[in-house]
Amino acid sequence: MSPLQPIRGTADLIGEDSRRHRHVIDTARAVAATYGCDEWSTPIFEATAVFARTLGETSDVVTKEMYSFQDRGGESLTLRPEGTAGVCRALVSNGLTQTLPQKIFYAGPMFRYERPQKGRYRQFHQIGLELIGPSEPLADAEAIACGWDILRALGIAGDTVLELNTLGDHESRTEYRAALVDYFTARRAALSEDSQTRLERNPLRILDSKDPGDRRLIAEAPTIGTYLTEAARGFYEGVKRALDRFGVPYRENPLIVRGLDYYSHTAFEFVTDRLGAQGTVLAGGRYDGLVAEMGGPPTPAIGWAAGIERLAMLLDTAPPAPAPVAVIPIGAAEDAALDVLQALRRAGIRAEMAYRGNLRRRMERANKIGARAAVLLGEDDLAAGVAQVKDLASGAQAAVPLAELPARLR
């Protein structure tokens, strides 16, 4: 019988991969906390309607990529394909629409049935930020600045570029949508099959097409700037002013769009050229209509999500595993060594002791696990209330009182 293998599109996080993954989450969590965010954790599966309603019944995610199933009670459930919908559902179902603003950070696995690619999996992981309640352009800039500061803290900001656009308000989008329909209808025969379908259902999504023929048409298509109302233009200028003040560099890209009606105003992506075609590492926008889609009151919001796998791939080096301390009993000192071992652990020091072996073999194991120091405990040392502490890098050794071991080794 052949050994069982992981499901296609999934990956085990072991050793260096696990440390990279955890480093991204811990760094993002710490930076988000400085922006006043609390961490939320929502279930990894929800009622299918949570995602079908918010992602659009005709979107590729809903029609092709969601992992949906019926439970034993006959209810249709879906493994979450993204994090924002669950956060907004939690806001409404926990009665938090009356206590705004809410600043939220989250991290966890997401699931989409799609073709695995570099940095893209069927079970993947995201960090995300949602600012729910504020309607001012400063909130958009603050959300983007938090993402930028996370990239800076990870040491990868220099490998990314922030691309920025506005989707305008409802009036702007309505006029722009009509202009796109007119433009692409006149060129319908030259559109790809997918874009012809999008022309009927969601013309803004044509601008996302990667088809070479579509791209040639898109290059000459109208852009939204011509159709912005004064209010929408003022909002966009406010976002850019605040980003300038925060010191966040950006370039404007009029082709960044979001297809669903609840999106408005700011849309943005941090992109890189280090990951091939899958260049977006962090993206988001304003979604003032989403909470209402969940049954709550009209509530402004801005947020983003970032793929942990892609961010981890951009790290130049993996964080090293913490070097442990090896506790090594000599002779009949094993019981006392166990006391020392636990005292070090309770002081927050990573400590290990080989289960068996003579002094030579235990020292070999200390070197094998990359220990930074060895605590040698012989009967004479214990009688004197000390341990011999050997620095395994320099070879220096000194007697240290047992009570001082945690402080010395910390």
Side-chain angles (χ1 to χ4, degrees), residues 291-305:
V291 174
E293 286 283 341
M294 291 292 180
T299 306
I302 173 80
W304 55 256

Side-chain angles (χ1 to χ4, degrees), residues 4 101 205 225 247 250 264 277 303 312 343 350 376 396:
L4 294 174
R205 292 204 58 228
Y250 60 87
S264 61
R350 181 171 177 165
L376 303 165

